[in-house]
Amino acid sequence: MYDNNGTRLWGTNTQDASSRDTGSSVFDFDGDGAAEVVYADEQNLHIYDGKTGAERATISDHGSGTIVEYPIVVDIDHDGESEIVLASNNYAFAGWTGITVLGSESRSWTPARPVWNQYAYSISNVNDDGSIPQNQAPNWTRWNNFRAGAPIEGLANWLSDVYVAGTSYCEAGCSADTDGTAQIAVTVVVSNRGKLDASDVDVSLMLGGVEGTEIGHGVIDSVPSGGQAYVTITVPHTSWTAGDATVVVTPGANTPECDTSNNTAVIEHPIVLDFDDDGIDDVCDACVAMGQPEVCDGVDNDCDGATDAADADFIRPPCELQEGVCEGTTKPDDLCMGEGGWAPCDDAVYASATEGAYDPELDACDGVDNDCDGTTDAADASLDVVLCENQAGCAPGRRRRRRSA
């Protein structure tokens, strides 16, 4: 056995003087995340620990004058458990002949796929129904598990391993009905250190432990192998008045998992203050008592669950220039910087709002204040003065007089 950097990890002696060209297959029979190696020589079937090379089992009823065969691992009877399928012959040694199928006496081996279609098998070159993918995914770029059996397409352990990588919470404003109930926004980060993408990951927030009362719930569509994703769950403060909460993450039914001991985390009870003893959480005092309008400040001012431009009642102030063609222009939503307030309107904003009538460089003789500086035509120092029509003889350079429209 060699590591992926070429380092020899372990080796063992076998008996194969016939061809010296037999192969092996790989499968995680006990579901511990480390695969075993299955190999048959001239007289024995061996199962080795993939990490150490220790012999987990030896079955001596096998016999073969070997060529290039190797045992495979499939679920041949669709009972949800894996079996070893082995070819034997009595060409040179006594023992089984034909095809032998071996299963777990305790029925504890993990599930396997129902197909192993060819000598150069990999999990990505055949579907479970025996059909061949029209565009085969390169096995080495994602799974890198040539001649390895699997319950479904996955890596060496073919299972996910989701866990709670982090949590945070903050007060998220007031409830939509503005009754003074603060909302606690709990963000849960879920990582997957397994080799199988996890789908439909259920995230529950429980009071009283794992078997307690659910106070919040969310679902993450997918957590990729080696990646992470998050969900934010909003909980009314009245539902979480005391005690720590437990986060529980559970992959969907179609995602087997190798370790469920790391699927929970404890969050301390957040502190929500009411210093003025008015029965309303302090974070909600202003908007509940005053009915504040929704403005650009990164806060849900009117307590309807929407902040800044996402609120239908959002107030958009006028741009800085309000003279001439710029009169009535308002700041667009993309100038709202949240906690940073409003950015100033620029030339592009004025040009768009006035459908091109705005020109910051000069005023035109059209009776309109084009540059929005409060002066029009001849009264504006930036008026574009043009040459008279007749420029012959003594008239060259003669310009039109400034006249007020």
Side-chain angles (χ1 to χ4, degrees):
M1 176 70 70
Y2 290 86
D3 202 348
N4 56 13
N5 61 7
T7 302
R8 186 178 186 271
L9 299 178
W10 57 265
T12 186
N13 295 323
T14 63
Q15 178 178 322
D16 184 10
S18 301
S19 69
R20 301 177 183 178
D21 200 21
T22 46
S24 61
S25 59
V26 177
F27 188 77
D28 182 6
F29 288 96
D30 51 11
D32 65 351
E36 285 73 42
V37 179
V38 186
Y39 171 75
D41 58 22
E42 292 175 327
Q43 291 190 296
N44 297 287
L45 172 68
H46 305 273
I47 302 177
Y48 301 105
D49 185 291
K51 289 183 177 180
T52 66
E55 190 140 359
R56 301 284 298 273
T58 302
I59 299 174
S60 57
D61 296 324
H62 166 68
S64 175
T66 64
I67 304 179
V68 293
E69 74 271 16
Y70 64 89
I72 63 174
V73 182
V74 293
D75 181 2
I76 64 168
D77 53 4
H78 293 274
D79 65 349
E81 297 181 11
S82 54
E83 288 88 29
I84 299 173
V85 180
L86 174 68
S88 304
N89 61 71
N90 58 4
Y91 174 75
F93 301 94
W96 294 327
T97 58
I99 303 298
T100 301
V101 178
L102 303 172
S104 166
E105 184 176 12
S106 62
R107 302 183 64 83
S108 61
W109 288 353
T110 57
R113 296 184 74 197
V115 60
W116 190 300
N117 66 315
Q118 64 185 45
Y119 184 79
Y121 168 81
S122 69
I123 62 171
S124 56
N125 67 18
V126 63
N127 299 317
D128 282 351
D129 62 3
S131 62
I132 304 301
Q134 182 174 2
N135 298 306
Q136 186 179 132
N139 182 277
W140 60 91
T141 60
R142 178 177 180 185
W143 300 284
N144 196 26
N145 58 354
F146 183 65
R147 285 187 186 165
I152 54 179
E153 292 187 354
L155 257 172
N157 58 358
W158 307 293
L159 298 171
S160 69
D161 183 14
V162 298
Y163 65 97
V164 180
T167 60
S168 62
Y169 56 79
C170 63
E171 293 181 347
C174 309
S175 58
D177 56 6
T178 64
D179 64 355
T181 300
Q183 303 292 294
I184 310 301
V186 181
T187 299
V188 180
V189 180
V190 179
S191 292
N192 180 8
R193 60 187 173 199
K195 304 304 182 181
L196 178 68
D197 294 348
S199 60
D200 300 325
V201 179
D202 186 274
V203 182
S204 297
L205 193 61
M206 313 293 294
L207 277 185
V210 174
E211 302 298 329
T213 301
E214 183 179 85
I215 59 173
H217 176 261
V219 175
I220 300 175
D221 292 337
S222 177
V223 185
S225 170
Q228 63 180 208
Y230 71 91
V231 64
T232 298
I233 303 170
T234 302
V235 181
H237 175 228
T238 51
S239 297
W240 190 4
T241 56
D244 297 339
T246 301
V247 178
V248 182
V249 295
T250 308
N254 294 324
T255 305
E257 189 177 17
C258 64
D259 184 5
T260 59
S261 66
N262 55 4
N263 289 28
T264 63
V266 175
I267 306 178
E268 294 181 354
H269 176 251
I271 299 174
V272 179
L273 303 176
D274 180 18
F275 283 120
D276 54 9
D277 294 323
D278 63 353
I280 298 174
D281 299 307
D282 290 344
V283 70
C284 299
D285 278 345
C287 54
V288 172
M290 301 172 58
Q292 290 185 356
E294 188 67 33
V295 296
C296 175
D297 59 1
V299 176
D300 179 12
N301 308 98
D302 56 4
C303 306
D304 64 355
T307 302
D308 293 354
D311 194 321
D313 300 321
F314 185 49
I315 295 177
R316 297 164 180 83
C319 286
E320 289 75 15
L321 298 180
Q322 289 294 310
E323 300 287 348
V325 296
C326 299
E327 183 179 1
T329 57
T330 58
K331 291 181 180 286
D333 292 348
D334 58 4
L335 292 185
C336 177
M337 302 292 106
E339 293 181 4
W342 287 101
C345 294
D346 56 20
D347 289 345
V349 171
Y350 291 118
S352 175
T354 61
E355 298 181 350
Y358 171 74
D359 189 336
E361 299 298 329
L362 53 84
D363 210 348
C365 180
D366 58 1
V368 176
D369 179 8
N370 307 92
D371 55 4
C372 306
D373 65 353
T375 57
T376 304
D377 294 353
D380 194 324
S382 65
L383 176 68
D384 185 21
V385 180
V386 300
L387 295 173
C388 291
E389 292 83 352
N390 187 357
Q391 292 292 309
C394 62
R398 183 75 54 110
R399 296 178 179 270
R400 293 177 184 268
R401 294 183 179 179
R402 294 175 182 265
R403 291 181 178 177
S404 174

